[in-house]
Amino acid sequence: KGGMKKVPSFKDIIMLNAQAREEEDRKQKEKLQEQQERLRKEAMERRKKSRPRLVVNPIKRCAKSTGDLRSMVIVEEEEEGYYGGGGGGIIQEDEVLGDTDASEFYSRKQKGSTSRQNGKKLRPDEAKRKNFIIHKKEAQRRAQQQR
């Protein structure tokens, strides 16, 4: 009896390769699925952390009345040698912003009324056309009444 080794046939080799490839594909899909799940969880955590927290204080007055405007005044003070964004201004009770631009506001308001007056004026050709139309309508009315 000769000790011949059984050499796997071509079909057996192909089948082994196919099984190994199938196993690799399955592992890769599982890995991809796990990675997607992890990314989804991380994104959800990030969303929860970055969600703004709203603080609502009850208003103890008529809702239509103007509140304390001085509480909204924030003055930014520049420090020597410090440049860049930051935040945190210092609230000063005495200073009210906006009291300096009143003259500009009223002059602009006045200018607006004059430009509106000028816009209402008719150009000579428009006035002539309007006169023709009015004359024609009156003539039609007279003709209507005579019938």
Side-chain angles (χ1 to χ4, degrees), residues 60-117:
K60 297 179 180 109
R61 58 183 165 72
C62 175
K64 291 181 181 175
S65 69
T66 305
D68 181 17
L69 295 178
R70 287 178 182 264
S71 68
M72 299 170 75
V73 175
I74 295 176
V75 179
E76 294 286 334
E77 288 190 0
E78 292 181 22
E79 297 176 18
E80 288 279 329
Y82 173 74
Y83 301 101
I90 293 122
I91 297 174
Q92 294 182 349
E93 289 290 326
D94 304 333
E95 198 171 330
V96 176
L97 300 178
D99 57 350
T100 56
D101 60 357
S103 60
E104 179 197 347
F105 170 78
Y106 285 113
S107 68
R108 196 182 316 141
K109 196 174 170 83
Q110 189 177 20
K111 177 71 179 118
S113 68
T114 58
S115 66
R116 179 171 163 80
Q117 290 295 327

Side-chain angles (χ1 to χ4, degrees), residues 4-133:
M4 270 184 75
K5 285 185 189 174
K6 185 178 178 194
V7 179
S9 68
F10 184 72
K11 181 182 173 190
D12 291 337
I13 294 172
I14 295 290
M15 290 300 285
L16 280 173
N17 279 347
Q19 285 176 349
R21 195 173 292 124
E22 221 173 82
E23 186 70 24
E24 280 180 29
D25 287 348
R26 189 177 57 76
K27 283 183 181 178
Q28 202 168 9
K29 281 182 183 177
E30 283 179 10
K31 195 175 182 182
L32 190 68
Q33 215 169 14
E34 285 176 16
Q35 191 177 9
Q36 285 177 342
E37 189 68 31
R38 188 170 38 80
L39 285 173
R40 191 171 25 249
K41 283 182 180 177
E42 286 176 6
M44 199 155 2
E45 287 295 320
R46 247 183 278 122
R47 233 179 279 129
K48 282 181 184 175
K49 286 179 184 176
S50 66
R51 194 170 289 158
R53 211 175 100 227
L54 297 177
V55 178
V56 180
N57 295 329
I59 298 174
K60 297 179 180 109
R61 58 183 165 72
C62 175
K64 291 181 181 175
S65 69
T66 305
D68 181 17
L69 295 178
R70 287 178 182 264
S71 68
M72 299 170 75
V73 175
I74 295 176
V75 179
E76 294 286 334
E77 288 190 0
E78 292 181 22
E79 297 176 18
E80 288 279 329
Y82 173 74
Y83 301 101
I90 293 122
I91 297 174
Q92 294 182 349
E93 289 290 326
D94 304 333
E95 198 171 330
V96 176
L97 300 178
D99 57 350
T100 56
D101 60 357
S103 60
E104 179 197 347
F105 170 78
Y106 285 113
S107 68
R108 196 182 316 141
K109 196 174 170 83
Q110 189 177 20
K111 177 71 179 118
S113 68
T114 58
S115 66
R116 179 171 163 80
Q117 290 295 327
N118 288 336
K120 281 182 173 178
K121 291 179 186 172
L122 286 177
R123 294 195 320 256
D125 58 328
E126 282 181 348
K128 188 176 181 182
R129 187 178 60 83
K130 196 170 184 181
N131 283 338
F132 275 127
I133 291 170

